[in-house]
Amino acid sequence: MQSTSREVASAPVLQELRTHTAELHIALEKRLPFFADFLDSHAFLQLMQAYHGFYAPLEDALRTSPWFPADFDLQPRLKSAILQDDLRALGLSAEAIEGLPRCRDLPALDSRAACLGVLYVVEGATLGGQVLRRHIHAHLGLDARNGAAFLDVYGEDTGRRWRAFLHYLCSQPLSGQERAATVRAAQDTFRCFEHWLQGREVLL
Ligand code: HEM
């Protein structure tokens, strides 16, 4: 049976994820340069290349993990192909994109619970995209047609798809230990992403 919104909001796994990743979210958000005065098209391209260097290997790892939940439809939620379209629209050749550095220090996908934690982070990030999309359009004139599709990857479906993900997450039978593994994987995803972006020198 489909869970209600109230049941979702009070689900232990979601409460624990929110409690234990809030600080990491705030810290990363503060360091991302989307709102920086110096952000021009070139700096935006650098940032999106760095995003691609994390999302592409992470999505590969999710797609191929033996632990990935078989009843979750990942394909329509993969985002790195859209990032590649953006990079091409911003002037990179297919060969240049192919040769971009990729992160190797990824969160461990060693359980179904861990896969759920990673999904929570990459699906939740689409919400912030809605704020960033408006800003980037206003300041750089970029939108889904000319290099910023990733920031609006689900378009008008963003809220609906987030809620659908939460219903899925919160309907999973998870023991206390599994919930802890979900939270750890979500925290690791934030940490690995920040560490990667720091190494690519795109953070404030
Ligand atoms: C400057 C960059 C960012 C901004 C402005 C931003 C902003 C937001 C906003 C407005 C929400 C919705 C909060 C709500 O509706 O209650 C949100 C949720 C979220 N964001 Fe971000 N975000 C940013 C970057 C990121 C990044 C890089 C990640 C992860 C890679 C991320 C992960 C999440 C997650 C997991 C949620 C869902 C929290 C929840 O409701 O459970 N965000 N963000």
Side-chain angles (χ1 to χ4, degrees), residues 57-70 74 107-116 118:
L58 184 62
E59 290 188 344
D60 282 348
L62 285 169
R63 277 193 302 107
T64 55
S65 169
W67 295 104
F68 193 82
L74 179 64
L109 292 170
D110 52 5
S111 65
R112 184 177 65 104
C115 293
L116 294 173
V118 172

Side-chain angles (χ1 to χ4, degrees), residues 20-21 23-25 27-28 31 54 103 105-107 121 183-199 203:
H20 297 293
T21 61
E23 271 183 31
L24 291 165
H25 183 282
L28 177 56
R31 298 192 68 199
F54 189 73
C103 179
D105 182 15
L106 296 168
V121 178
V183 168
R184 251 191 329 272
Q187 291 176 321
D188 285 349
T189 310
F190 273 108
R191 289 196 190 106
C192 290
F193 192 29
E194 182 164 352
H195 188 248
W196 167 254
L197 295 174
Q198 160 98 29
L203 293 183

Side-chain angles (χ1 to χ4, degrees), residues 91-166:
L92 287 197
S93 66
E95 295 73 40
I97 295 169
E98 189 61 32
L100 288 174
R102 291 178 179 220
C103 179
R104 280 192 288 219
D105 182 15
L106 296 168
L109 292 170
D110 52 5
S111 65
R112 184 177 65 104
C115 293
L116 294 173
V118 172
L119 283 176
Y120 166 76
V121 178
V122 289
E123 289 309 303
T126 64
L127 303 178
Q130 290 300 298
V131 181
L132 303 175
R133 152 184 95 78
R134 285 184 213 107
H135 179 79
I136 293 301
H137 184 238
H139 288 262
L140 301 180
L142 298 174
D143 60 27
R145 290 160 305 176
N146 60 357
F150 174 76
L151 299 181
D152 194 23
V153 64
Y154 296 157
E156 289 177 355
D157 271 353
T158 306
R160 187 189 62 75
R161 294 185 73 165
W162 172 241
R163 287 189 297 276
F165 171 71
L166 290 185

